[in-house]
Amino acid sequence: MRRADDTFDLAREDAAADAWAPAARAACAAEPSAATLARIHERAARELAARRRRAVLARFRMYLIPAAAAALVCAATLLAIRPSPAPAVPRPHALLDGMLLLATAVHADEAADENPRDGTDTERLARRLLALQGFTDADPDPTPADFHL
Amino acid sequence: MADIDASDDELLLKRYVEGSVEALDTLVSRHSGALFSYIRGMAASREEAEDLFQETWTRAIRHAASFRGGTVRGWVWRIARNAVIDAVRKRKPDDSLDRPVGGDGAPLGDTLAGDGVPVPDQVAGADTGRRIAACVANLPPAQREIFLMRTTGSLSFQEIAAILGIPLNTALGRMHYAVLRLRKELGGEGRER
């Protein structure tokens, strides 16, 4: 068998191969069947079609990202410029009436317990309470009843 | 030796990648004879050879777009050789044509006997062509593939060495011993060196 230090001459081996080639071709030549060639053709066509689909998808993806970004910007802009529904402004009189009623309802019983005489004048009590809460400028002017506490 | 213009192969492959199936058909037909003869010589049966030939071109088709550098012919032959190796491994999972065995480091493919029955019984009464085919089939696989690549495939020894990933001298040596063995088994008829 072959020894590791053998060296071979390229020209000589080429000549030998060329001498053997015609006989080897005649003896060993073979061709693939038509069915195999047809399957290769079909496979090649399918691969091309798949490649075309991938190319279209890639092109579509190229536009998809900028389109999505543009849609996002448009949505944000629309939200920003949309007229927001104005909160209902309570009428001053109604507000004051409400506060008076509330204050009266909450504190009337307590005040009446502490000072039965004040409890009889609901309006006066409400005014005082409003003054205490800072809704009016100052304590109401003392009335004669205040001097009889 | 290179009676097929290599640049035409590159052009055909490029045209196929650009969308022409006919270009691939032409490319296949240009190489089908030599390539199939090699595959048939290495395969265990005609059916396996058909499968390996189809597998070779399926791999080439799949990777056609990524072909870079070298020659299309060398590339396709390398794919075919890999397909053959895969088939050999399926048949004998532990065997590789290039696995070193023995004290001198000779690859397994150099030492294995061929797959067939002894030549004298096989070729008795057959014509010369059939006797040569039988003797070639009985060559050790590593010698047989180089003999087929060089004679039926018309590849140069440099191309063969590159495809197989072996030194040029190794390729020459395998060819040398293949021819010696053929001459011996054929009784020295006709093929003087």
Side-chain angles (χ1 to χ4, degrees):
Chain A
M1 193 44 73
R2 177 162 62 95
R3 295 195 308 273
D5 57 351
D6 278 348
T7 54
F8 300 92
D9 182 59
L10 176 61
R12 195 170 165 218
E13 297 307 326
D14 264 335
D18 290 341
W20 273 90
R25 281 197 203 109
C28 305
E31 288 288 339
S33 68
T36 299
L37 291 175
R39 280 196 294 274
I40 291 169
H41 174 88
E42 187 187 329
R43 176 67 202 233
R46 261 190 288 140
E47 181 67 24
L48 269 188
R51 198 174 299 150
R52 280 196 201 103
R53 277 197 302 274
R54 284 196 295 271
V56 168
L57 277 177
R59 206 172 302 137
F60 181 68
R61 204 177 300 133
M62 198 171 68
Y63 292 112
L64 191 63
I65 293 173
L72 204 64
V73 169
C74 286
T77 307
L78 279 173
L79 280 175
I81 63 173
R82 188 184 62 166
S84 55
V89 180
R91 290 172 298 160
H93 292 301
L95 187 63
L96 186 58
D97 289 347
M99 281 192 289
L100 283 172
L101 285 172
L102 184 63
T104 302
V106 172
H107 295 286
D109 293 342
E110 189 182 336
D113 288 344
E114 289 173 0
N115 193 338
R117 281 176 293 184
D118 286 349
T120 60
D121 190 346
T122 304
E123 185 182 347
R124 188 160 55 86
L125 179 60
R127 284 178 189 277
R128 283 189 67 193
L129 289 169
L130 282 171
L132 287 171
Q133 305 255 348
F135 286 103
T136 56
D137 291 337
D139 284 347
D141 292 334
T143 62
D146 290 326
F147 296 105
H148 298 301
L149 288 176
Chain B
M1 190 171 304
D3 45 1
I4 293 175
D5 190 351
S7 64
D8 288 350
D9 285 346
E10 273 80 72
L11 192 61
L12 287 168
L13 189 69
K14 186 168 176 278
R15 281 191 189 152
Y16 168 66
V17 171
E18 289 168 354
S20 167
V21 189
E22 291 73 23
L24 189 93
D25 290 341
T26 307
L27 188 64
V28 172
S29 70
R30 281 162 70 103
H31 295 281
S32 63
L35 201 59
F36 188 79
S37 298
Y38 159 72
I39 291 173
R40 178 67 191 95
M42 299 304 294
S45 65
R46 169 94 196 179
E47 289 71 29
E48 188 183 58
E50 298 275 0
D51 287 346
L52 290 176
F53 185 76
Q54 186 179 330
E55 174 64 20
T56 297
W57 284 106
T58 299
R59 291 183 193 182
I61 286 164
R62 202 181 304 142
H63 298 107
S66 58
F67 170 76
R68 297 282 184 282
T71 63
V72 170
R73 182 165 75 154
W75 177 63
V76 172
W77 275 82
R78 200 171 302 121
I79 293 172
R81 204 255 174 169
N82 289 338
V84 166
I85 287 177
D86 291 346
V88 169
R89 282 190 186 138
K90 272 184 197 166
R91 290 200 297 267
K92 297 176 183 174
D94 296 333
D95 283 352
S96 160
L97 298 183
D98 295 320
R99 177 166 63 89
V101 293
D104 63 352
L108 177 65
D110 276 356
T111 59
L112 285 174
D115 300 331
V117 295
V119 176
D121 294 340
Q122 200 173 35
V123 299
D127 60 18
T128 307
R130 293 179 68 179
R131 288 184 67 192
I132 292 173
C135 290
V136 170
N138 266 352
L139 286 173
Q143 293 175 12
R144 196 189 328 152
E145 71 176 350
I146 289 182
F147 180 83
L148 290 170
M149 284 178 172
R150 180 62 185 78
T151 55
T152 65
S154 299
L155 299 177
S156 68
F157 282 113
Q158 286 86 350
E159 284 178 298
I160 293 169
I163 290 167
L164 303 185
I166 57 175
L168 175 62
N169 193 56
T170 303
L172 294 175
R174 290 183 189 173
M175 182 70 186
H176 180 82
Y177 291 114
V179 170
L180 281 185
R181 187 167 177 148
L182 286 174
R183 286 179 60 199
K184 185 181 168 191
E185 293 192 351
L186 289 167
E189 62 179 70
R191 306 291 157 205
E192 293 305 322
R193 307 194 59 186

